[in-house]
């Protein structure tokens, strides 16, 4: 399989987005990847790693800043007509019935009415939507809507099917069924799609579906590693081999996201002008994670947290990252421990918690910077100004997100308050 | 209420005829409607192309009213069609061409703030001169003037919709290869339809406001008059014929209700499928006419034929690999067209500005100073009328909106009241005011209020109806006393709606000032100092430079006021008091 020429490949891709104020946000850095015939390939990684951007560059929806896209060995200009996309938010047109939604894309191809009818019926049958032809999308559940999205994509008989987090807005049980159905359709060698590219944040999902799993790291997005998945299909989600693969993927992603460097070991003198980037996690998530750890005796495998709390993996990761910055937990390998301070925090009442939180926040350079700016401004710091500062100091981060985190953490610590209608930060 | 009434009446008549009907009468109805329309259009054609009469004699007999009403209605509809075409073109251009957008949006903002009277002399003189032999020029001028009262908010609405089409919808259209026309007809236009329909109703109502002036307009010693409901009313007022005035008011109300039932109800019901919020439950709007029409076999047959012919099999377009050259060619053509259009726009703006400046050079400093003082005075009147309107409309609107029974009963009535052109009621109110000894200086505030209070009321009702049930229940369960409940729940919850009401009301009050501060009753001109009366007087005496200065000042005040007061209010409403976020 490895020796086949790829259908679609990207070489040396770099992508920056203009953030408006003339500053560029680099989203992708030197990404090389190919899609081979008859495979399912999945992109996984933390938010902000640019996985959806890679998908759109492959499809020709977005032009890369640098690098090349090649289809069948030739340079691809603009949109690739052999690609169909299933969207995360379904992207159905609410004023068209199920049937009309599918027909529209066929008519856009300039097909004769008879062919349009026939292909529409075929696609609707393929995804099991018979009887719903006349329904409007708003009458359907999330799972049914995504079936329409799939029917629409499959109706044009695409060589490549792209799916951008297709099941993240579908309930878990339905998603499981849809995954198997998609694989059945793909498995039929006689008909398209030949290959599937999917973006996902669900480790089990990619282990179940993909032949190759591309793990990305963020800021800027890079390919960390590509994991081959040799398991035979159909894959049982309870089989030991499957669970081992899931475990392995977990390890790779954690080691990307939580490198075992304690924040405290950095010498203050070196740190002088560097501010820490904050994970985009609100205090409720942090507190929730702490409480959960406490119920587990103060130590727990990070994936156990994901499995038992049903909180998405990414969210748990950012929360743990945040707690680690505040020195409330440690993360040797994949497990999370409460530190002695963390224990004290969990057992403390609200007032003491706020004190600990406050002390820990002021250990962070970023919060000291904010407080200095606030002093300078005599207690009224406009949001705009802080956002400016953040985007120069943390060029890789979304300043709005960082700002939100600063406000949320700072409010809890009662270091400062934020007045939304005036958009200013003030003293508590 | 009206709807319900008609529904039941209709239902009962239907039941009477039940034995006879095999639903054929619906087809008969459709055919009759078609014939009536055709006859009317022929009449209208005669009127438009007929030889130009020096002065139109308006017949004050009640029997002449249906014809006049029909003429006025057709003018309004023609203007609406024009507004729609303008909206489609302008909004699409502004949304698609980033460079032109920077110019088009501010222009629209300014156009919106110019009172209809500002367009009038140029249009009337120009178009009347263009068609010296027939009524066509004057008719066209009337239509275009109604258009200037309709188009702008429709254009804004569509522009905003086009700009806010969700990204994924666009991406899907791109990936599946929609061309620009398919994207427009399947994605962008449907997305904007809800807003466009709503604004169309508002616009149609706004277009009637100046009907009395647009159909019977005096410019210096020239009298431009067209047969219509507006000119009927103005002649009736001139002669002080009470019965004729009363009949004209009734005719206006009938026309508004007729249009609501025949045109807007069906359109609103039809447009429901374009709702974008996926979760919103079906609104209860229904239309007897649409229900009826859907029963017609004739129409079904036509629809069927149309569906069959809808798309001719196009030769299947191959997508050759080397199509980029063609795409590139088309792209450059498109580019060229956009550049040409932009250049034309720039030229037009530059030309208008230069002409206007040359015109304004004739206005002397003392005149400017006088206009400025007049502007401040009228501004204060506008504000007072808005405040007065708020004082009674907020409690009344809350009472109506919070009671499902009352709102069901009164909302259509308020809607009709809001669409009614207030200047038609001025003579009656003025007579009462003068009888009470109130001078026009204060009285004109009441006249302004007459037209604008409904916008506030209407929006407050809508806001009160939109307060979520759980918030009301929470207030009840905490036993909040009424005043406290008002402060913590009702006032904040209706605030965003109230702001919309204020903006519309203030805009309406400015427009009304032109008529309210200068009114001719029984041949006697009543006037009081103010920007509205200065503008009116300038138009009446054909002092075009002064007119231009007055109109310019008025739109400047409106634009500045929007920026300084209403925009922050909107901001506040959106960030702090929005219930949807």
């Amino acid at each position: 399989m490895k020796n086949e020429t790829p259908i679609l490949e990207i070489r040396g891709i770099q992508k920056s987005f203009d953030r408006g104020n003339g500053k560029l946000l680099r989203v992708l850095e030197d990404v090389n990847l190919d899609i081979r015939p008859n495979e399912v390939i999945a992109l996984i990684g933390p938010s902000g790693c640019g996985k959806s951007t890679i998908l759109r560059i492959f499809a020709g929806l977005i032009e890369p800043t640098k690098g090349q896209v090649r289809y069948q060995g030739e340079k691809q200009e603009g949109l690739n007509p052999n690609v169909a996309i299933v969207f995360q938010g379904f992207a159905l047109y609410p004023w068209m019935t199920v049937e009309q939604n599918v027909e529209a894309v066929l008519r856009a191809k300039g097909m004769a009415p008879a062919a349009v009818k026939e292909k529409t019926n075929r696609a609707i049958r393929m995804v099991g939507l018979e009887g719903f032809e006349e329904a409007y999308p708003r009458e359907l559940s999330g799972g049914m809507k995504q079936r329409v999205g799939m029917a629409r994509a499959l109706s044009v008989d695409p060589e490549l099917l792209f799916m951008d987090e297709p099941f993240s807005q579908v309930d878990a049980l339905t998603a499981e069924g849809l995954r198997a159905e998609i694989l059945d359709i793909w498995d039929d060698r006689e008909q398209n799609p030949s290959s599937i590219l999917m973006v996902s944040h669900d480790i089990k999902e990619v282990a179940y579906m993909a032949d190759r799993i591309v793990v990305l790291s963020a800021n800027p997005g890079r390919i960390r590693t590509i994991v081959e998945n040799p398991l035979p299909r159909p894959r049982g989600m309870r089989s030991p081999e499957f669970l081992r693969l899931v475990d392995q993927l977990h390890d790779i992603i954690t080691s990307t996201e939580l490198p075992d460097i304690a924040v405290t070991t950095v010498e203050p003198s070196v740190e002088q002008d560097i501010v820490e980037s904050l994970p985009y996690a609100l205090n409720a998530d942090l507190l929730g994670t702490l409480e959960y750890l406490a119920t587990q005796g103060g130590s727990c495998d990070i994936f156990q947290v994901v499995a038992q709390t049903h909180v998405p993996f990414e969210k748990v990761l950012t929360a743990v990252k945040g707690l680690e910055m505040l020195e409330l937990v440690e993360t040797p390998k994949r497990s999370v421990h409460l530190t002695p301070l963390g224990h004290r925090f969990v057992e403390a009442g609200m007032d003491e918690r706020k004190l600990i939180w406050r002390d820990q926040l002021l250990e962070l350079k970023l919060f000291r910077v904010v407080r200095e700016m606030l002093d300078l401004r005599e207690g009224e710091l406009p949001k705009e100004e802080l956002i400016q500062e953040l985007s120069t100091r943390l060029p890789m981060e979304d300043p709005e997100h960082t700002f939100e985190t600063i406000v949320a953490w700072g409010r809890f610590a009662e270091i400062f308050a934020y007045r939304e209608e005036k958009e200013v930060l003030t003293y508590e | 209420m009206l709807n319900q009434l008609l529904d039941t009446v209709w239902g009962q008549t239907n039941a009477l005829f039940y034995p006879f009907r095999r639903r054929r009468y619906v087809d008969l109805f459709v055919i009759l409607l078609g014939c009536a329309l055709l006859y009317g259009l022929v009449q209208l054609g005669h009127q438009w192309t007929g030889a130009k009469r020096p002065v139109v004699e308006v017949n004050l007999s009640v029997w002449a009213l249906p014809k006049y009403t029909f003429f006025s209605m057709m003018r309004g509809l023609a203007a609406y069609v024009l507004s729609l075409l303008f909206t489609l073109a302008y909004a699409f251009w502004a949304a698609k061409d980033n460079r032109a957008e920077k110019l088009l949006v501010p222009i629209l903002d300014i156009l919106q703030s110019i009172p209809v009277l500002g367009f009038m002399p140029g249009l009337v003189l120009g178009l009347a001169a263009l068609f010296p032999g027939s009524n066509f020029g004057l008719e066209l001028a009337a239509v275009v003037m109604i258009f200037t009262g309709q188009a702008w908010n429709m254009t804004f609405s569509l522009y905003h919709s086009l700009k806010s089409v969700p990204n994924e919808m666009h991406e899907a259209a791109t990936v599946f290869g929609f061309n620009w026309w398919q994207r427009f007809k399947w994605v962008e236009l449907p997305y904007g339809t809800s807003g466009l329909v709503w604004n169309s109703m508002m616009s149609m109502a706004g277009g009637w406001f100046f009907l009395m002036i647009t159909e019977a307009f005096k410019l210096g010693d020239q009298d431009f008059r067209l047969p219509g409901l507006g000119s009927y009313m103005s002649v009736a007022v001139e002669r002080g014929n009470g019965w004729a005035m009363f009949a004209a008011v009734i005719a206006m109300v009938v026309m508004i209700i007729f249009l609501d039932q025949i045109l807007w109800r069906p359109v609103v019901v039809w447009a429901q499928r374009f709702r974008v919020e996926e979760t919103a439950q079906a609104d209860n709007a229904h239309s007897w006419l649409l229900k009826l029409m859907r029963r017609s076999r004739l129409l079904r047959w036509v629809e069927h034929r149309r569906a069959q012919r809808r798309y001719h099999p196009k030769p299947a377009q191959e997508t050759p690999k080397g199509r980029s050259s063609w795409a590139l060619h088309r792209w450059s053509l498109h580019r060229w067209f956009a550049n040409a259009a932009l250049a034309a726009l720039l030229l037009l703006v530059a030309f208008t500005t230069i002409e206007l400046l040359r015109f304004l050079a004739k206005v002397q400093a003392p005149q400017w100073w006088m206009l400025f003082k007049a502007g401040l005075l009228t501004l204060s009147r506008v504000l007072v009328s808005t405040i007065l309107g708020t004082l009674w409309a907020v409690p009344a609107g809350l009472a109506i909106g919070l009671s499902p029974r009352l709102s069901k009963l009164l909302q259509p009535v308020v809607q009709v009241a809001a669409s009614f052109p207030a200047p038609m009621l001025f003579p009656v109110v003025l007579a009462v005011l003068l009888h009470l000894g109130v001078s026009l200086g204060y009285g004109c505030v009441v006249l302004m209020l007459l037209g604008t209070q409904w916008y506030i009321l209407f929006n407050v009702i809508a806001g009160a109806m939109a307060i979520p049930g759980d918030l009301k229940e929470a207030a009840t369960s905490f036993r909040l006393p009424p005043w406290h409940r008002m402060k913590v729940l009702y006032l904040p919850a209706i605030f965003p709606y109230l702001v919309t009401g204020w903006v519309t009301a203030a805009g309406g009050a400015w427009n009304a000032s032109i008529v309210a501060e200068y009114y001719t009753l029984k041949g006697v001109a009543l006037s009081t100092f103010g920007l509205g009366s200065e503008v009116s007087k300038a138009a009446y005496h054909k002092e075009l430079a002064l007119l231009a200065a007055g109109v310019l000042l008025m739109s400047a005040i409106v634009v500045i006021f929007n920026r300084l007061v209403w925009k922050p209010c909107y901001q506040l409403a959106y960030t702090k008091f929005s219930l949807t976020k």
Side-chain angles (χ1 to χ4, degrees):
Chain A
M1 225 206 234
K2 272 182 193 167
N3 303 330
E4 282 178 282
T5 51
I7 304 177
L8 204 53
E9 52 191 318
I10 51 177
R11 288 282 164 267
I13 292 292
Q14 191 201 85
K15 178 72 195 172
S16 311
F17 283 113
D18 191 353
R19 224 198 259 140
N21 46 10
K23 297 210 171 70
L24 291 178
L25 177 65
R26 185 161 299 174
V27 186
L28 294 175
E29 181 71 61
D30 192 32
V31 175
N32 298 292
L33 191 62
D34 48 18
I35 304 174
R36 300 167 191 159
N38 304 316
E39 72 165 348
V40 178
I41 177 168
L43 307 176
I44 191 165
S47 61
C49 71
K51 38 192 198 285
S52 292
T53 311
I54 295 181
L55 179 133
R56 280 163 174 72
I57 287 175
F58 265 125
L61 272 173
I62 296 180
E63 291 280 321
T65 312
K66 243 192 233 163
Q68 213 180 41
V69 187
R70 285 204 288 263
Y71 174 71
Q72 308 278 25
E74 280 179 49
K75 190 162 185 272
Q76 171 179 312
E77 297 275 2
L79 212 62
N80 188 327
N82 306 298
V83 169
I85 302 184
V86 173
F87 292 90
Q88 179 176 17
F90 317 122
L92 300 173
Y93 301 117
W95 39 85
M96 295 182 179
T97 61
V98 168
E99 198 172 28
Q100 286 165 342
N101 261 295
V102 179
E103 279 176 1
V105 306
L106 293 167
R107 283 170 62 186
K109 294 253 170 206
M111 260 175 218
V116 168
K117 267 269 165 292
E118 190 232 301
K119 293 217 170 206
T120 304
N121 286 337
R122 189 176 139 256
I124 286 179
R125 231 177 312 121
M126 214 190 269
V127 299
L129 273 174
E130 299 105 318
F132 288 90
E133 288 91 343
E134 302 296 322
Y136 284 97
R138 68 172 71 90
E139 303 166 45
L140 303 177
S141 66
M144 292 300 263
K145 275 183 204 155
Q146 198 52 294
R147 275 178 202 273
V148 184
M150 280 156 52
R152 180 171 70 176
L154 292 171
S155 72
V156 296
D157 203 25
E159 183 181 13
L160 294 165
L161 179 66
F162 286 9
M163 302 198 286
D164 185 8
E165 306 211 12
F167 308 123
S168 62
Q169 294 188 24
V170 174
D171 71 89
L173 218 57
T174 314
E176 214 152 301
L178 286 173
R179 282 181 204 121
E181 283 174 45
I182 278 282
L183 285 180
D184 278 344
I185 293 167
W186 164 79
D187 210 22
D188 187 348
R189 286 280 170 274
E190 299 300 307
Q191 62 179 24
N192 278 330
S194 165
S195 297
I196 294 177
L197 169 70
M198 71 182 297
V199 166
S200 176
H201 63 256
D202 181 339
I203 293 178
K204 280 198 174 131
E205 176 173 284
V206 300
Y208 177 75
M209 292 194 72
D211 297 309
R212 286 193 300 149
I213 298 151
V214 182
V215 182
L216 297 146
S217 58
N219 299 326
R222 282 200 179 89
I223 293 181
R224 169 130 180 131
T225 180
I226 300 179
V227 181
E228 302 273 346
N229 181 353
L231 298 180
R233 291 174 208 276
R235 295 169 183 158
M237 286 182 131
R238 305 258 178 292
S239 75
E241 298 85 10
F242 185 85
L243 292 176
R244 209 171 305 134
L245 177 72
V246 170
D247 246 23
Q248 187 196 344
L249 284 171
H250 275 155
D251 278 344
I252 294 170
I253 293 170
T254 351
S255 62
T256 326
E257 283 306 296
L258 300 172
D260 283 327
I261 315 162
V263 184
T264 43
T265 56
V266 182
E267 290 291 319
S269 58
V270 187
E271 197 207 19
Q272 210 46 264
D273 232 48
I274 302 164
V275 297
E276 315 80 353
S277 69
L278 289 187
Y280 183 41
L282 302 184
N283 2 356
D285 296 334
L286 304 193
L287 294 182
T289 311
L290 282 179
E291 295 292 355
Y292 180 79
L293 280 176
T295 63
Q296 301 299 310
S299 165
C300 169
D301 184 302
I302 188 165
F303 297 102
Q304 192 191 331
V305 184
V306 176
Q308 296 200 354
T309 56
H310 301 289
V311 175
F313 178 64
E314 281 181 13
K315 217 172 177 180
V316 175
L317 261 185
T318 45
V320 170
K321 249 198 218 173
L323 290 173
E324 196 171 21
M325 285 182 79
L326 297 175
E327 296 170 17
L328 296 173
V329 300
E330 285 173 333
T331 58
K333 287 266 175 197
R334 290 170 36 183
S335 59
V336 193
H337 297 312
L338 287 179
T339 56
L341 187 67
H343 275 292
R344 235 183 78 207
F345 183 89
V346 172
E347 282 151 22
M350 193 45 98
D351 289 340
E352 198 189 339
R353 281 185 175 194
K354 289 202 176 215
L355 279 178
I356 298 176
W357 190 275
R358 184 191 169 99
D359 289 344
Q360 291 311 107
L361 276 196
L362 291 177
E363 289 286 305
L364 298 177
K365 169 95 175 157
L366 181 55
F367 280 86
R368 291 201 300 272
V369 168
V370 174
R371 215 169 61 160
E372 276 161 26
M373 287 177 74
L374 198 55
D375 287 339
L376 217 68
R377 280 301 191 164
E378 289 168 353
E380 285 222 347
L381 176 62
K383 174 184 179 186
E384 201 45 46
E385 197 170 309
L386 183 53
I387 292 268
Q388 280 289 340
E389 183 71 21
L390 289 175
S391 54
T392 40
R393 286 202 183 232
L394 296 164
M396 292 304 184
E397 300 291 325
D398 182 338
E400 291 281 345
H401 283 181
T402 310
F403 180 78
E404 256 181 72
T405 312
I406 290 177
V407 168
W409 291 15
R411 270 176 171 168
F412 184 71
E414 297 183 3
I415 299 178
F416 37 70
Y418 178 58
R419 291 171 57 189
E420 204 191 335
E421 62 268 40
K422 285 177 132 185
E423 303 209 316
V424 289
L425 223 53
T426 59
Y427 290 124
E428 178 57 38
Chain B
M1 173 192 76
L2 225 123
N3 222 0
Q4 219 179 3
L5 187 76
L6 273 168
D7 254 5
T8 47
V9 170
W10 215 209
Q12 279 157 5
T13 352
N14 274 356
L16 266 180
F17 284 111
Y18 189 71
F20 313 88
R21 71 167 183 180
R22 286 201 193 90
R23 289 183 173 173
R24 281 302 182 187
Y25 74 97
V26 178
D27 292 334
L28 194 69
F29 175 80
V30 169
I31 291 170
L32 278 180
L33 203 74
C35 289
L37 206 68
L38 207 66
Y39 174 75
L41 287 177
V42 169
Q43 279 289 308
L44 199 71
H46 274 304
Q47 154 66 23
W48 277 48
T49 54
K52 192 169 180 175
R53 284 148 293 186
V55 172
V56 177
E57 270 314 311
V58 173
N59 181 357
L60 281 192
S61 146
V62 174
W63 301 111
L65 253 183
K67 193 176 78 180
Y68 287 150
T69 311
F70 177 76
F71 283 157
S72 290
M73 189 173 84
M74 289 320 274
R75 280 183 203 117
L77 288 174
Y80 175 70
V81 171
L82 203 61
S83 301
L84 198 59
L85 292 177
F86 173 84
T87 292
L88 291 178
Y90 198 96
F92 194 68
W93 189 14
K96 290 288 160 179
D97 189 338
N98 289 332
R99 292 171 307 164
E101 183 183 11
K102 293 198 182 79
L103 205 56
L104 288 172
V105 175
I107 290 179
L108 199 60
D109 212 15
I110 293 169
L111 282 175
Q112 195 179 28
S113 64
I114 297 180
V116 175
L117 211 62
F119 296 103
M120 178 121 58
L123 279 174
V124 172
L125 292 176
L127 288 171
L130 213 58
F131 300 92
S134 72
N135 290 322
F136 194 75
L138 217 49
E139 286 284 356
L140 201 61
V143 166
V144 175
M145 275 187 290
I146 300 176
F147 157 87
T148 58
Q150 290 180 343
W152 322 125
N153 65 330
M154 286 166 63
T155 310
F156 260 123
S157 150
L158 186 64
Y159 163 75
H160 284 304
S161 299
L162 288 180
K163 289 296 269 189
S164 55
V165 174
N167 200 22
E168 272 199 347
M169 281 192 189
H170 265 313
E171 284 186 336
T174 312
V175 164
F176 294 113
F178 290 12
N179 60 32
W180 74 268
W181 171 242
Q182 286 166 334
R183 188 188 294 260
F184 183 63
K185 120 184 121 156
W186 290 340
V187 184
E188 291 166 335
L189 193 56
Y191 190 80
T193 299
S194 293
L196 193 56
V197 166
W198 179 246
N199 277 286
S200 293
M201 289 168 72
M202 298 277 289
S203 286
M204 202 70 183
W208 301 130
F209 194 83
F210 280 112
L211 197 65
M212 279 174 71
I213 298 186
T214 48
E215 286 183 348
F217 184 54
K218 287 202 182 91
L219 199 59
D221 49 355
Q222 281 168 290
D223 189 347
F224 300 94
R225 199 177 285 177
L226 288 164
L229 187 55
S231 52
Y232 181 96
M233 184 68 186
S234 52
V235 171
V237 171
E238 218 167 85
R239 299 199 191 140
N241 185 335
W243 271 114
M245 285 190 236
F246 181 69
V249 168
I250 296 296
M252 190 73 214
V253 171
V254 168
M255 180 173 86
I256 288 170
I257 293 173
F258 176 80
L259 276 177
D260 181 61
Q261 293 295 318
I262 295 299
L263 185 65
W264 297 122
R265 284 285 131 194
V267 170
V268 165
V269 173
W270 165 81
Q272 272 183 355
R273 70 152 124 169
F274 297 108
R275 277 176 305 139
V276 182
E277 326 83 79
E278 300 231 330
T279 47
Q281 63 215 55
D283 209 346
N284 287 329
H286 50 105
S287 154
W288 57 267
L289 184 70
L290 198 67
K291 237 189 271 172
L292 198 68
M293 295 299 238
R294 280 179 179 156
R295 272 193 220 144
S296 160
R297 290 195 188 180
L298 191 69
L299 288 184
R300 243 182 288 160
W301 179 77
V302 172
E303 177 63 27
H304 182 65
R305 293 283 301 201
R306 207 184 66 86
Q308 275 188 332
R309 299 189 319 133
R310 192 162 51 185
Y311 42 101
H312 301 289
K314 276 177 273 176
Q317 287 167 359
E318 287 296 312
T319 36
K321 277 187 184 168
R323 67 177 181 148
S324 56
S325 71
W326 162 237
L328 212 67
H329 175 66
R330 219 173 44 178
W331 178 241
S332 68
L333 202 72
H334 168 90
R335 223 42 236 165
W336 185 86
F337 183 73
N339 284 336
L342 185 61
L345 180 73
L346 280 172
L347 269 178
L348 187 70
V349 170
F351 178 75
T352 319
T353 317
I354 291 170
E355 279 299 298
L356 194 66
L357 285 179
R358 204 186 291 167
F359 220 57
L360 291 178
K362 294 178 198 158
V363 183
Q364 274 114 34
Q367 279 175 308
W368 277 113
W369 175 235
M370 182 271 293
L371 284 177
F372 183 71
K373 278 190 295 186
L376 286 187
L377 190 60
T378 305
L379 176 65
S380 62
R381 286 193 186 120
V382 167
L383 290 181
V384 170
S385 86
T386 312
I387 291 167
L388 285 179
T390 311
L391 283 183
W392 84 264
V394 167
L398 277 173
I400 295 172
L402 290 175
S403 143
R405 202 175 54 86
L406 271 182
S407 57
K408 206 170 173 192
L409 214 65
L410 290 179
Q411 215 188 9
V413 178
V414 175
Q415 219 168 342
V416 170
S419 332
F420 190 85
M424 289 184 91
L425 294 179
F426 283 6
V428 184
V429 181
L430 257 182
V432 174
L433 285 175
L434 293 179
H435 183 74
L436 292 177
V438 180
S439 76
L440 192 64
Y442 295 102
C444 70
V445 174
V446 179
L447 295 185
M448 288 178 184
L449 188 64
L450 209 58
T452 59
Q453 56 196 351
W454 305 111
Y455 293 120
I456 303 175
L457 182 64
F458 193 62
N459 277 290
V460 171
I461 293 177
M465 283 169 74
I467 299 177
D470 50 357
L471 289 188
K472 284 189 272 187
E473 279 164 13
T476 316
S477 73
F478 291 129
R479 293 168 205 269
L480 297 184
W483 168 240
H484 198 60
R485 202 176 291 197
M486 192 86 165
K487 214 170 69 180
V488 300
L489 173 61
Y490 296 147
L491 289 182
I494 60 167
F495 185 73
Y497 294 83
L498 197 55
V499 173
T500 312
W502 281 337
V503 173
T504 339
W510 276 107
N511 255 336
S513 74
I514 289 174
V515 200
E517 292 177 348
Y518 186 92
Y519 203 88
T520 318
L521 193 65
K522 290 186 200 170
V524 184
L526 299 166
S527 86
T528 177
F529 184 63
L531 193 53
S533 72
E534 289 309 313
V535 166
S536 263
K537 246 187 277 177
Y540 193 76
H541 298 300
K542 212 175 172 181
E543 290 173 35
L544 295 186
L546 198 63
L547 176 65
V551 167
L552 191 76
L553 190 66
M554 193 180 278
S555 49
I557 296 177
V558 172
V559 169
I560 292 170
F561 200 77
N562 278 348
R563 283 286 138 79
L564 293 187
V565 180
W566 298 134
K567 212 171 164 200
C569 278
Y570 265 126
Q571 199 68 34
L572 193 65
Y574 180 72
T575 51
K576 193 169 171 189
F577 295 113
S578 170
L579 280 172
T580 52
K581 204 171 56 156

